[in-house]
Amino acid sequence: MEGVLQWAQEHTLALCLAVGAVINCFWLWRYRGMLPMPIWVIPVVSLIHTFVGVFCVRVFAGMENWGNPLQSGQSLFGGIILLPIICIFTAKLFKRKIADVLDVAAVLTVTTLFFARINCIMSGCCLGSSIPGSQVYRWPTREAELVFHGVLLFFLDKRVMGKGPRGEVWPFYMMAYGFFRFFEEWFRSNARVFGPLHFGHIWAVVSIIIGSAIYFEISSREGRSTGRRRS
């Protein structure tokens, strides 16, 4: 029993990601009307999505540090900026609608990142900066991100199951997380790379710009399409 507990303590990330992958099986089953697949394929897709997500956050961290992705840690922005590119390629490869794939993948990604942050708490990384006047207490940035992602999951699920224009979910997520992370980054214990800014500030702005551009383009197209139907 002690050996099992010791293994669990040494592999908290793997355990957290495994729980996230199990929950993502539920999302894939729930959205099977958009992305129909045999039941036995669902866990396979969930695991592949998790592994690709880990690959993206490690590659992104390696790009930030100009180092080996296997030794540079993780940057969650890799899952937000790089992962949709792979999703688009996968949608084309398997002849699925890109908008549907991205909408579903957004929910899967938020779920995975939620459990990745739980691992941060368990492993003691990604700390908030010290609260002024205290040598012990830090800003609860990781906990704030858990609340943010938990609330966001509720809204994204409603949006995926709704009747609005497809393809808006991922860019909305990019905007929402970008704004949240830019504010939260001031309370994180990260190195400054450009004046008072951290890498997180920079990628948050990039995420907001890309997400906004795509989101409002989709909304504009939907508005023009609705106008033509009415006329």
Side-chain angles (χ1 to χ4, degrees), residues 202-219:
I202 298 171
W203 297 127
V205 172
V206 171
S207 184
I208 292 170
I209 292 174
I210 296 175
S212 299
I214 298 173
Y215 182 86
F216 290 114
E217 175 61 22
I218 293 174
S219 298

Side-chain angles (χ1 to χ4, degrees), residues 173-200:
Y173 172 45
M174 294 183 74
M175 288 190 297
Y177 186 73
F179 281 114
F180 170 83
R181 182 63 181 270
F182 187 88
F183 174 77
E184 182 208 35
E185 195 66 30
W186 297 111
F187 301 92
R188 290 168 62 93
S189 180
N190 288 335
R192 299 177 179 181
V193 296
F194 187 75
L197 302 179
H198 309 158
F199 268 127

Side-chain angles (χ1 to χ4, degrees), residues 148-170:
F148 170 81
H149 276 123
V151 173
L152 187 64
L153 266 177
F154 172 78
F155 287 102
L156 294 188
D157 174 58
K158 290 188 65 175
R159 178 62 192 81
V160 173
M161 297 297 290
K163 297 181 180 180
R166 297 300 181 191
E168 286 186 344
V169 176
W170 197 294

